[in-house]
């Protein structure tokens, strides 16, 4: 038996090595006119109704086509070649162009209805279900208060017509339709799979977008090829895209310099030297990073539900020092919540509603006063009695951030602040199950309006994983949804932002900025701080 096992393992390791060699050979065979880039985190699930990461949104936009596409401020036709809106602004009708899934089956309006039913299914608990709450009865169905999905405001009267009924006017509705959660799912195919199996591998999904997925090696690579049957295939100039998982940014940069990648992000340790040499560019991603508190009342760990403790932590931080030590000022310190470059009424939001809520360098004296009050309220004798754990994704950058936060918080407040490093999957699992004290997170805007940052903190939202609950805050957002005067509506949103900062269910840390470098062979590669990070549909590469 031992001889047999020894032989078995020898064969196993030979096959493993051969497999790696074949994989390396496949990578080497990627044609030069394919766009090649890397990401630091592996994709685990591309289900459109489950996805939450910017990587999933970017890939989804290239694999599937929704009713519309967004390009900057413009809404472009997608599977819908035209649409109408009723005079009162509550009824949309979309007219679909004839098209097919990648198995040759016709795509129908019913595939969009089916996708929304999956998104809003209360048993699935999809974090992005809130994005469809503008539809009539969508929130009630998602929260289990309404059992009949037929009463939700979406219906397909025929295979090429789709009707939406809204609760109230929503100027962002069209741009929301371009997002991943609204993308269609082939019901005829999904019904042949076990539950939750759709889009878990290249064999368990169908496509109707600009590209088809040819290969998905989990944790290593995703390879896309141009979809010749895409309705707008003439505008797609790339024959394919190779996305490789390279966890080490330094390694990715070396691969770019060696000509193995066509663009990559420059790590914080290198970006200054590259920019000084005229290599690379900077752009804001739209991401606002924060520390989220678990606001539930939990015996034994009462600090998250204590307002004065949350405020103490917010004022304890020197955000300028934080970004300098962790990213060499690649990221910007952020002293408010809403991303400042979003649209206001006539000018950028930050210009119409200036706000510096937290001092850039913090306010240690004020922080300690809040902490003293918190200790009395929690019936604790000493700051050392507070043992706060901080959930954060493992990785070099996150570790640097967690250690600097620990240094600042413990030196100013004297409490115990313990980072807990986990995988992305475990962080999300613990966060949405409420199993955390504090957690590192952030948000990228889905559309160009402050509401995209504010709505995720409403008491009924599943994205509100810390269970923040203030009826006044909910009322401000609901009033903004009904307000037709643009200035009064924006005033309401600003009041909501200030109230959120005062209640401190989260404390803002920084604005993410990225440095990136791109080969001169690559043309028309666009990036945005709204929705998906990159758009490759009209990108092309010189021979």
């Amino acid at each position: 038996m031992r001889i047999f096992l020894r032989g078995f393992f020898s064969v196993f390791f030979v096959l493993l090595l051969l497999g790696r060699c074949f994989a390396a050979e496949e990578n080497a065979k990627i044609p030069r006119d394919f766009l090649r880039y890397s990401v630091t985190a592996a994709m685990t699930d591309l289900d459109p109704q489950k996805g939450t990461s910017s990587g999933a949104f970017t890939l989804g936009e290239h694999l599937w086509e929704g009713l519309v596409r967004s390009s900057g401020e413009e809404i472009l036709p997608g599977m819908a070649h035209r649409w109408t809106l009723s005079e009162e602004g509550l009824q949309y009708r979309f007219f679909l162009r004839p098209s097919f899934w990648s198995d040759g089956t016709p795509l129908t309006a019913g595939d969009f209805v089916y996708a929304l039913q999956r998104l809003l299914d209360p048993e699935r608990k999809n974090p992005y279900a809130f994005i469809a709450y503008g539809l009539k009865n969508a929130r009630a169905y998602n929260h289990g208060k309404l059992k009949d999905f037929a009463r939700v405001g979406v219906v397909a009267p025929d295979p090429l017509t789709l009707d939406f009924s809204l609760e109230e006017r929503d100027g962002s509705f069209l741009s929301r339709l371009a997002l991943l959660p609204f993308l269609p799912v082939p019901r005829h195919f999904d019904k042949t799979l076990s539950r939750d199996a759709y889009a878990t591998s290249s064999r368990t999904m169908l496509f109707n977008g600009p590209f088809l997925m040819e290969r998905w090696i989990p944790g290593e690579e995703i390879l896309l090829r141009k979809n010749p049957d895409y309705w707008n295939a003439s505008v797609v100039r790339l024959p394919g895209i190779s996305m490789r998982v390279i966890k080490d940014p330094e390694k990715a940069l070396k691969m770019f310099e060696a000509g193995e990648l066509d663009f990559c992000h420059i790590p914080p340790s290198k970006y200054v030297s590259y920019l000084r040499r005229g290599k690379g560019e900077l752009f804001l991603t739209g991401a606002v990073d924060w520390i989220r508190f678990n606001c539930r009342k939990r015996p034994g760990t009462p600090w998250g539900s204590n307002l004065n403790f949350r405020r103490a932590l917010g004022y304890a931080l020197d955000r300028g020092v934080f970004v300098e030590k962790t990213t060499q000022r690649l990221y910007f310190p952020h002293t408010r919540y809403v991303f400042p470059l979003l649209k206001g009424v006539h000018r950028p939001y930050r210009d119409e509603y200036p706000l510096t809520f937290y001092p850039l360098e913090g306010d240690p004296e004020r922080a300690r006063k809040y902490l003293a009050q918190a200790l009395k309220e929690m019936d604790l004798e000493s700051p050392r009695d507070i043992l706060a754990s901080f959930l954060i994704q493992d990785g070099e950058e996150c570790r640097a951030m967690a250690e600097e936060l620990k240094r600042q918080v413990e030196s100013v407040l004297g409490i115990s602040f313990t980072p807990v490093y986990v995988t992305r999957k475990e962080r999300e699992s613990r966060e949405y199950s409420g199993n955390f004290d504090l957690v590192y997170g952030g948000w990228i805007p889905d559309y160009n309006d402050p509401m995209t940052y504010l709505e995720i903190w409403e008491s009924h939202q599943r994205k509100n994983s810390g269970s923040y609950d203030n009826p006044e805050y909910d009322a401000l957002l609901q009033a903004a949804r009904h307000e037709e005067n643009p200035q009064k509506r924006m005033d309401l949103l600003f009041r909501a932002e200030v109230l959120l900062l005062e209640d401190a269910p989260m404390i803002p840390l920084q604005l993410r900025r990225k440095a990136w470098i791109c080969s001169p062979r690559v043309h028309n590669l666009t990036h945005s701080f709204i929705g998906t990070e990159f758009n490759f549909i009209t990108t092309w590469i010189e021979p």
Side-chain angles (χ1 to χ4, degrees):
M1 179 64 73
R2 290 179 180 174
I3 294 174
F4 170 78
L5 287 175
R6 190 180 302 120
F8 170 81
F9 284 117
S10 297
V11 172
F12 173 79
F13 285 120
V14 168
L15 291 174
L16 181 63
L17 289 172
L18 285 174
R20 291 187 179 276
C21 290
F22 289 144
E25 186 178 350
E26 286 295 324
N27 288 333
K29 289 181 179 179
I30 294 172
R32 186 166 167 77
D33 55 356
F34 275 43
L35 183 71
R36 301 161 299 166
Y37 76 107
S38 67
V39 295
T40 56
M43 297 290 173
T44 57
D45 195 335
L46 284 174
D47 187 321
Q49 281 71 57
K50 289 182 182 178
T52 60
S53 69
S54 60
F57 271 61
T58 295
L59 269 177
E61 180 177 284
H62 294 86
L63 292 172
W64 296 291
E65 182 89 336
L67 294 167
V68 299
R69 282 190 174 274
S70 61
S71 177
E73 297 297 311
E74 191 177 6
I75 303 297
L76 304 175
M79 295 319 303
H81 61 88
R82 69 182 181 93
W83 53 89
T84 60
L85 176 62
S86 63
E87 187 174 343
E88 77 279 7
L90 299 179
Q91 306 290 330
Y92 276 93
R93 169 161 282 191
F94 290 83
F95 300 92
L96 277 62
R97 63 184 82 246
S99 63
F100 298 88
W101 288 104
S102 50
D103 67 347
T105 303
L107 182 145
T108 71
D111 294 322
F112 286 92
V113 176
Y114 180 64
L116 281 168
Q117 187 170 5
R118 295 174 86 247
L119 176 67
L120 295 169
D121 184 345
E123 293 185 4
R124 292 179 182 269
K125 300 186 186 305
N126 291 317
Y128 247 97
F130 74 91
I131 204 74
Y133 281 2
L135 295 176
K136 186 177 180 181
N137 292 326
R139 182 185 302 174
Y141 180 80
N142 184 237
H143 285 265
K145 297 177 181 178
L146 177 68
K147 303 299 182 184
D148 185 6
F149 182 76
R151 295 177 60 189
V152 175
V154 57
V155 64
D158 63 62
L160 295 179
T161 307
L162 188 65
D163 292 341
F164 290 112
S165 300
L166 307 187
E167 297 273 10
E168 56 252 334
R169 286 178 178 268
D170 184 353
S172 68
F173 183 71
L174 275 178
S175 58
R176 292 178 190 236
L177 289 180
L179 298 173
L180 186 68
F182 283 99
L183 298 186
V185 172
R187 178 171 182 166
H188 74 280
F189 180 74
D190 187 40
K191 290 297 185 180
T192 68
L193 305 173
S194 59
R195 184 177 174 86
D196 296 327
Y198 184 72
T200 55
S201 73
S202 59
R203 295 183 300 277
T204 58
M205 55 182 130
L206 298 179
F207 314 101
N208 75 313
F211 294 89
L212 308 172
M213 183 181 290
E214 181 171 299
R215 183 167 70 235
W216 182 2
I217 305 174
E220 294 186 25
E221 180 197 29
I222 290 178
L223 186 68
L224 310 183
R225 283 192 183 272
K226 179 178 175 177
N227 181 1
D229 299 319
Y230 175 53
W231 76 270
N232 203 18
S234 62
V235 306
V236 181
R237 299 181 63 177
L238 286 174
I241 299 171
S242 170
M243 187 201 79
R244 297 180 61 184
V245 179
I246 309 295
K247 296 182 179 180
D248 182 0
E250 301 271 358
K251 180 180 178 181
L253 185 58
K254 289 179 181 178
M255 291 175 65
F256 171 83
E257 297 287 12
E260 298 175 43
L261 297 175
D262 292 308
F263 74 91
C264 75
H265 294 122
I266 306 172
S269 60
K270 298 286 182 66
Y271 87 97
V272 173
S273 64
Y274 269 75
L275 292 179
R276 284 174 177 168
R277 288 180 284 151
K279 301 175 69 176
E281 299 177 15
L282 298 173
F283 69 94
L284 283 166
T285 69
V288 175
D289 290 347
W290 61 58
I291 296 175
R292 185 196 297 268
F293 295 91
N294 192 338
C295 298
R296 301 170 179 85
K297 293 187 179 298
R298 301 188 302 156
T301 55
W303 25 89
S305 60
N306 185 278
L307 174 59
N308 282 309
F309 172 76
R310 301 196 301 264
R311 287 175 172 172
L313 201 61
Y315 284 98
L317 301 180
D318 186 324
R319 290 162 176 80
V321 170
F322 175 74
V323 298
E324 182 176 357
K325 289 197 172 184
T326 58
T327 68
Q328 286 71 57
R329 292 194 175 274
L330 176 58
Y331 296 174
F332 284 139
H334 196 41
T335 62
R336 64 183 299 174
Y337 174 48
V338 172
F339 185 70
L341 298 184
L342 293 184
K343 288 193 306 182
V345 180
H346 303 292
R347 294 176 293 145
Y349 179 74
R350 69 175 177 187
D351 296 337
E352 293 183 339
Y353 298 91
L355 175 65
T356 301
F357 188 84
Y358 289 105
L360 178 64
E361 68 282 1
D363 189 337
E365 182 178 352
R366 189 172 183 180
R368 286 188 281 266
K369 287 181 179 179
Y370 278 127
L371 180 63
Q373 186 61 36
L375 291 172
K376 292 179 182 178
E377 293 166 350
M378 294 185 289
D379 197 24
L380 299 176
E381 294 182 0
S382 166
R384 292 187 297 273
D385 294 330
I386 297 178
L387 309 174
S389 64
F390 178 54
L391 195 65
I392 188 169
Q393 196 166 316
D394 200 1
E396 183 178 350
E397 183 180 90
C398 286
R399 283 182 175 268
M401 292 179 185
E403 290 304 315
E404 176 58 20
L405 289 172
K406 176 181 175 66
R407 185 192 69 79
Q408 291 194 20
V409 170
E410 292 188 345
S411 64
V412 172
L413 299 179
I415 69 171
S416 172
F417 185 92
T418 304
V420 178
Y421 302 105
V422 295
T423 63
R424 176 190 176 95
K425 185 175 182 179
E426 183 177 352
R427 178 184 62 79
E428 290 180 346
S429 174
R430 289 184 57 174
E431 181 176 352
Y432 286 106
S433 64
N435 183 20
F436 70 94
D437 286 351
L438 298 83
V439 62
Y440 175 65
W443 192 250
I444 296 174
D446 292 319
Y447 50 94
N448 199 347
D449 187 271
M451 182 67 84
T452 188
Y453 285 94
L454 298 169
E455 66 183 347
I456 62 173
W457 299 94
E458 288 179 284
S459 59
H460 55 77
Q461 300 282 19
R462 285 205 170 94
K463 291 297 292 184
N464 180 11
S465 58
S467 290
Y468 167 64
D469 186 357
N470 186 334
E472 182 183 355
Y473 182 81
D474 291 352
L476 283 170
L477 294 194
Q478 194 62 13
R481 291 189 178 98
H482 287 92
E483 180 55 64
E484 296 187 6
N485 181 291
Q487 189 67 64
K488 291 181 179 179
R489 175 183 177 275
M490 202 63 68
D491 290 346
L492 290 166
L493 295 181
F494 178 63
R495 286 173 56 192
E497 180 189 12
V498 173
L499 179 58
L500 186 71
L501 290 164
E502 291 173 345
D503 284 349
M506 63 83 202
I507 53 174
L509 290 175
Q510 61 194 3
L511 297 176
R512 284 185 177 253
R513 188 172 61 161
K514 285 187 177 180
W516 77 309
I517 188 167
C518 186
S519 167
R521 297 175 56 241
V522 179
H523 298 272
N524 210 24
L525 194 163
T526 60
H527 52 74
S528 171
F529 63 78
I530 305 292
T532 57
E533 185 175 2
F534 290 102
N535 186 328
F536 308 129
I537 294 174
T538 59
T539 300
W540 59 280
I541 296 179
E542 289 182 6

